[in-house]
Amino acid sequence: MSRASTRFDSKKVNSELVTLTYGALVAQMVKDAENTDDVGKQLERLGYNMGVRLIEDFLAKTGTGKCMDLKDTADKIQSAFKMYLGLQPNVSNWSPAGDEFSFLLDCNPLTDLVELPEDLKNLKYCNVICGAIRGALEMVQLDVHSWIIQDQLKGDPCTEIRVKFIRRLEDALPAGED
Amino acid sequence: MTEETIFDLLHSAVVDYVVQSDGKASENSIKADAKDEDLSKLEYIGFFTGYRMIERLTREMPRFKDELDTMKFICTDFWSAIYKKQIDNLRTNHLGVYVLQDNAFRFLTKLSNGKQYLDLAPRYVTFTCGVLRGCLANLGIESIVTAEIQTMPSCKFHIQVQRPC
């Protein structure tokens, strides 16, 4: 084996690579799509597809079992944030019914080096995270709705991602089996 | 700091996006002739990624001595930072053609080693062609980058430097 990467911190490079690739992709989508809402939707879908696959990786690497309740789910997503994006969001703003909560991100690797131009101010740049949460939870039989409330790119002090529990998905039995 | 898995997933998401958005334009022709898929958007996304990437990586480095020195940098440090291994073989005719051979290219190692997905392989290397072209462009070398895959998962990137006449 020849000399490994000596000059670069490969973790940092990888993180920048993700940021830049994502940025280039969004730029292309903005160019292709007619309006910014469409781009938001596409990013959500893209995140969903990533989440569906990411959950497998997460379960395999961490060996976590079933979530007992939504608090437990929130904690696990928090650890997934740490694992995949290297950040520790706060879980807060629980609704009285306990079916809604927020992740507060004070920095976000996806939005490093990013600035939104004036005409794209309503672009939901980080929608991919919402999609990923939804996709991942769907694979563990939780139907949730996830959206962005605050966004640093729009001048808010932090990025806030809201998650609302909708229902528990039941395994559908194949027809003819009991 | 993001996990490597995220980049792999993001890369396949980018590929999916491009393939789908082109698929809408020419629904039927895709399956019939995968070789004619239009992957230029994918190359373009790669180009901008590479262009910006290299700017940040080489910010505090001394200037490269010459073209070959630049290529060596790409094959060793750059490649191992991004693709977790170095290029296995670098060849050149000293007239502006370089061939970079990677015997186990990161995005192809997860596909079958047989011939099964050979026609789909271009989808997974086009982004990297763009990245290479972008890197070189920002280092002052204009080029055309193409990829050649004969057996999976090895891949040869041909770089043809465009010289001003």
Side-chain angles (χ1 to χ4, degrees):
Chain A
M1 180 70 202
S2 43
R3 161 178 82 105
S5 167
T6 47
R7 280 194 238 186
F8 303 124
D9 168 6
S10 84
K11 268 239 140 73
K12 189 163 171 285
V13 172
N14 190 59
S15 169
E16 281 184 356
L17 186 63
V18 169
T19 310
L20 294 172
T21 310
Y22 185 66
L25 173 67
V26 176
Q28 183 65 47
M29 281 179 166
V30 168
K31 212 179 283 174
D32 292 345
E34 267 132 48
N35 63 60
T36 39
D37 282 351
D38 277 358
V39 178
K41 270 183 215 142
Q42 270 179 327
L43 288 175
E44 212 267 350
R45 253 194 70 77
L46 202 136
Y48 174 84
N49 291 336
M50 285 172 77
V52 165
R53 297 164 70 187
L54 198 58
I55 184 77
E56 306 219 356
D57 188 70
F58 178 75
L59 294 178
K61 280 185 185 154
T62 57
T64 22
K66 276 195 168 154
C67 296
M68 293 307 153
D69 52 18
L70 204 58
K71 279 223 156 52
D72 196 17
T73 311
D75 286 346
K76 280 173 182 156
I77 301 177
Q78 195 182 23
S79 68
F81 265 112
K82 176 141 190 56
M83 199 168 141
Y84 292 111
L85 297 177
L87 45 88
Q88 191 106 47
N90 284 323
V91 182
S92 66
N93 299 350
W94 281 89
S95 66
D99 64 343
E100 257 185 80
F101 57 93
S102 294
F103 290 108
L104 296 175
L105 288 69
D106 42 11
C107 71
N108 180 351
L110 284 184
T111 61
D112 277 349
L113 323 165
V114 176
E115 228 176 89
L116 286 183
E118 214 44 61
D119 57 325
L120 292 176
K121 276 291 180 222
N122 59 345
L123 173 66
K124 297 191 176 93
Y125 192 85
C126 304
N127 240 358
V128 68
I129 300 180
C130 300
I133 292 177
R134 187 169 68 88
L137 290 186
E138 193 174 308
M139 291 298 113
V140 290
Q141 270 108 5
L142 288 173
D143 192 6
V144 299
H145 188 53
S146 169
W147 68 100
I148 293 170
I149 297 188
Q150 297 190 66
D151 193 337
Q152 276 168 322
L153 288 176
K154 284 152 201 163
D156 297 321
C158 65
T159 301
E160 178 173 356
I161 295 167
R162 193 84 178 146
V163 179
K164 181 182 167 61
F165 171 78
I166 297 175
R167 67 195 169 100
R168 200 171 268 283
L169 300 165
E170 300 295 338
D171 274 334
L173 282 176
E177 270 180 61
D178 243 326
Chain B
M1 299 295 151
T2 48
E3 253 279 289
E4 280 163 37
T5 323
I6 298 281
F7 181 62
D8 285 338
L9 283 176
L10 183 63
H11 176 261
S12 56
V14 174
V15 173
D16 278 354
Y17 168 72
V18 172
V19 170
Q20 270 173 17
S21 67
D22 283 333
K24 272 178 215 147
S26 52
E27 201 83 301
N28 307 323
S29 62
I30 292 286
K31 279 215 174 71
D33 198 353
K35 274 181 197 131
D36 281 350
E37 254 179 312
D38 180 11
L39 295 170
S40 57
K41 266 187 208 164
L42 194 56
E43 208 261 355
Y44 198 64
I45 293 175
F47 176 83
F48 273 107
T49 307
Y51 195 87
R52 290 172 182 148
M53 196 72 204
I54 203 77
E55 191 164 295
R56 297 186 60 79
L57 286 179
T58 55
R59 196 171 37 181
E60 273 148 32
M61 285 175 56
R63 188 178 273 272
F64 296 115
K65 280 196 297 285
D66 51 21
E67 211 172 86
L68 189 63
D69 197 32
T70 315
M71 292 298 171
K72 280 184 189 155
F73 164 78
I74 299 263
C75 292
T76 56
D77 295 290
F78 180 76
W79 212 260
S80 46
I82 292 185
Y83 297 103
K84 310 300 162 206
K85 68 190 284 294
Q86 297 189 358
I87 281 284
D88 294 295
N89 190 340
L90 167 66
R91 268 179 294 170
T92 176
N93 65 353
H94 297 286
L95 292 169
V97 176
Y98 297 84
V99 179
L100 281 58
Q101 185 176 345
D102 190 334
N103 291 334
F105 183 56
R106 179 171 170 186
F107 297 135
L108 294 179
T109 47
K110 285 168 187 106
L111 299 179
S112 159
N113 276 356
K115 288 202 159 64
Q116 195 179 1
Y117 295 114
L118 207 55
D119 355 328
L120 293 178
R123 290 181 181 181
Y124 298 95
V125 297
T126 309
F127 176 81
T128 304
C129 290
V131 168
L132 279 172
R133 192 167 70 87
C135 286
L136 293 171
N138 208 353
L139 294 171
I141 301 174
E142 255 189 71
S143 59
I144 295 174
V145 182
T146 49
E148 178 194 346
I149 305 154
Q150 275 159 352
T151 48
M152 305 272 253
S154 94
C155 181
K156 278 183 194 164
F157 294 95
H158 294 259
I159 301 175
Q160 197 165 3
V161 177
Q162 304 295 101
R163 295 193 196 282
C165 306

